[in-house]
Amino acid sequence: MIKVEDIVYARFRAPDLDKMEAFLVDFGMERYARTDTALYMRGVGSDPVVHVTELGEPGFVGLALQASTEADLDAVAEANGASVEARTEPGGGKRVLVHDPDGFPIEIVYGLDKLDVAAVQEIAPLNARLEKPRLGDVKRMTAGPAHVHRLGHIVLNVTDYPKSYAWYHEQFGLLKSDEIYIGDENTVIGAFTRCDQGEKFVDHHTLFLLGTGKPGFNHAAWEVADLDDLMLGRDVLSDKGYTPVWGVGRHILGSQVFDYWRDPWGHTVEHWTDGDLFDASTPPGKASVEELLGKQWGPEPLEDMAG
């Protein structure tokens, strides 16, 4: 087993790279590189690529996870009878390509270029009931797209949740943050999983495996600068006529403020900010599907959010 550090990028296919790029710019990314057959988009964080689009029939292709060391790449390759290969795409580095129990391509990457974290507009802090840090200052923001910082998590619908969780845990060390049950607590249908980085705090979830009996892409979520940034980005997406799905609201599990949209080919994509952070010592929880689809505030979800 290795212990991956984080998720890096999601890979899609679409028949029109111009149309995808226009959406992703409005969503808060910028072009890192483009070829005749692929589009590579970055955020303002250090990852060179957070979203890949290959030219082709629309659909989700797979995802990339960050290995901690090059030796971990060797270990994954050896365990799966695969090869460590140089990435020939923008961002450089090396990778091992494996497939999960449902056949999703999973890239384990190491040595990708690291970029300087770009500056975003400084937005004056919130004044709260007892703490008011914005003294003698006003709150003014420049309109424009949100600033995507990094890919935060992906949700996959899987055929057999226990089988998929066992594979991701044994291969990459993913830990359960919250298991989800429907009806009886023993009827577990999925789990939020996070990276095991020991005492280092990581996102509440990096990969959510939802046992729907049929494999498929559910959604992918990118972290933005903060709540104001998310709301500014929402105005842009709304003004451009893109399709809203669910939001703005605050989840119960993971606690993120969320805002879901659809890209031009119907993939559900999310802006989020202010999520929970756990280290490896946090024990797994168990929650109902009602809590999964519930919110602390915000509108009710659409039925297809459950996959």
Side-chain angles (χ1 to χ4, degrees):
M1 175 203 294
I2 70 166
K3 296 180 178 180
V4 294
E5 290 184 340
D6 206 351
I7 194 166
V8 186
Y9 54 80
R11 188 181 290 273
F12 297 85
R13 289 197 185 100
D16 187 333
L17 298 184
D18 289 336
K19 192 171 183 179
M20 182 64 99
E21 182 170 356
F23 169 77
L24 292 174
V25 168
D26 291 332
F27 192 72
M29 300 180 192
E30 62 181 80
R31 182 198 291 191
Y32 180 66
R34 181 166 164 173
T35 68
D36 291 340
T37 58
L39 171 67
Y40 303 87
M41 301 294 286
R42 65 161 297 189
V44 295
S46 61
D47 294 325
V49 181
V50 299
H51 186 293
V52 180
T53 309
E54 302 172 354
L55 194 62
E57 291 299 312
F60 171 75
V61 177
L63 59 93
L65 298 169
Q66 173 69 47
S68 300
T69 66
E70 190 166 357
D72 282 350
L73 280 188
D74 295 333
V76 173
E78 183 176 354
N80 291 276
S83 300
V84 177
E85 55 190 36
R87 285 185 75 254
T88 57
E89 297 180 299
K94 297 181 178 180
R95 73 166 193 173
V96 176
L97 177 64
V98 296
H99 292 81
D100 79 357
D102 278 314
F104 290 115
I106 308 299
E107 300 171 62
I108 309 305
V109 300
Y110 180 76
L112 270 63
D113 299 336
K114 286 296 179 185
L115 309 180
D116 292 336
V117 176
V120 301
Q121 65 171 317
E122 293 291 335
I123 298 176
L126 296 169
N127 280 337
R129 183 174 67 93
L130 297 178
E131 295 188 11
K132 303 183 187 300
R134 199 172 72 250
L135 300 176
D137 198 1
V138 298
K139 197 174 187 70
R140 302 288 186 273
M141 292 162 276
T142 301
H147 294 83
V148 164
H149 184 74
R150 56 184 275 269
L151 177 61
H153 63 263
I154 284 180
V155 178
L156 295 178
N157 300 336
V158 298
T159 304
D160 184 331
Y161 153 67
K163 183 177 180 180
S164 289
Y165 173 71
W167 189 83
Y168 280 99
H169 173 68
E170 292 167 6
Q171 290 272 345
F172 310 127
L174 296 184
L175 302 174
K176 296 175 185 173
S177 291
D178 287 298
E179 279 193 320
I180 307 302
Y181 65 86
I182 186 167
D184 186 285
E185 283 198 17
N186 294 318
T187 308
V188 175
I189 60 169
F192 290 97
T193 71
R194 67 184 187 277
C195 298
D196 179 357
Q197 289 291 289
E199 295 180 350
K200 179 181 177 182
F201 283 87
V202 301
D203 291 336
H204 169 271
H205 55 283
T206 295
L207 187 64
F208 178 41
L209 303 168
L210 181 60
T212 59
K214 185 171 68 174
F217 171 74
N218 188 298
H219 73 265
W222 285 266
E223 184 177 17
V224 299
D226 54 28
L227 176 59
D228 284 308
D229 196 56
L230 181 145
M231 297 303 293
L232 289 169
R234 181 177 179 80
D235 284 350
V236 170
L237 294 168
S238 180
D239 290 345
K240 295 277 187 176
Y242 295 115
T243 305
V245 178
W246 184 24
V248 173
R250 186 179 286 278
H251 285 303
I252 297 172
L253 304 174
S255 304
Q256 299 99 331
V257 175
F258 60 84
D259 191 20
Y260 294 85
W261 292 80
R262 296 214 198 280
D263 77 5
W265 290 275
H267 308 113
T268 302
V269 292
E270 176 190 2
H271 281 157
W272 66 272
T273 186
D274 192 24
D276 294 335
L277 298 171
F278 291 170
D279 67 10
S281 70
T282 305
K286 189 169 278 192
S288 68
V289 71
E290 288 77 17
E291 290 173 277
L292 169 67
L293 294 174
K295 78 284 192 237
Q296 301 189 56
W297 51 262
E300 297 295 330
L302 298 180
E303 288 185 3
D304 65 355
M305 287 303 299

